[in-house]
Amino acid sequence: SLHDALPIFDRVEDEAQRLVLRDRYIHFDAWEDIARSMGKGIRWIYAVHSDGVAAVEKILEERSKMQ
C-alpha cells in the first residue's frame, strides 16, 4: 500500500531518487511535471527513477532477509 511505501522511500539515500519516487508514486505527478519541478530533463528523471527503483528493491531484499 502507499502507506507502506513512504517509509521505504524515506530509506532511499539519494535525495533526487527519493523525490522522484515520492512525486511519481505518492503524488501521482506526470513525468513532465516532475522534470519541470526539479529543473531537469525527462531522460535524467527516467534515469534517476530507474536507480531509485533499484534502491527500493535492494531495501526490500534486505528487509526480507531479516524476517
Side-chain angles (χ1 to χ4, degrees), residues 21-59:
L21 292 169
R22 190 172 291 155
D23 285 351
R24 184 67 179 170
Y25 297 109
I26 304 300
H27 301 296
F28 301 105
D29 292 344
W31 294 115
E32 295 80 7
D33 293 335
I34 298 168
R36 194 175 309 114
S37 73
M38 295 183 79
K40 300 288 184 179
I42 198 80
R43 287 179 185 226
W44 185 87
I45 296 297
Y46 291 152
V48 168
H49 171 265
S50 178
D51 292 343
V53 169
V56 167
E57 288 174 346
K58 186 176 177 186
I59 290 165

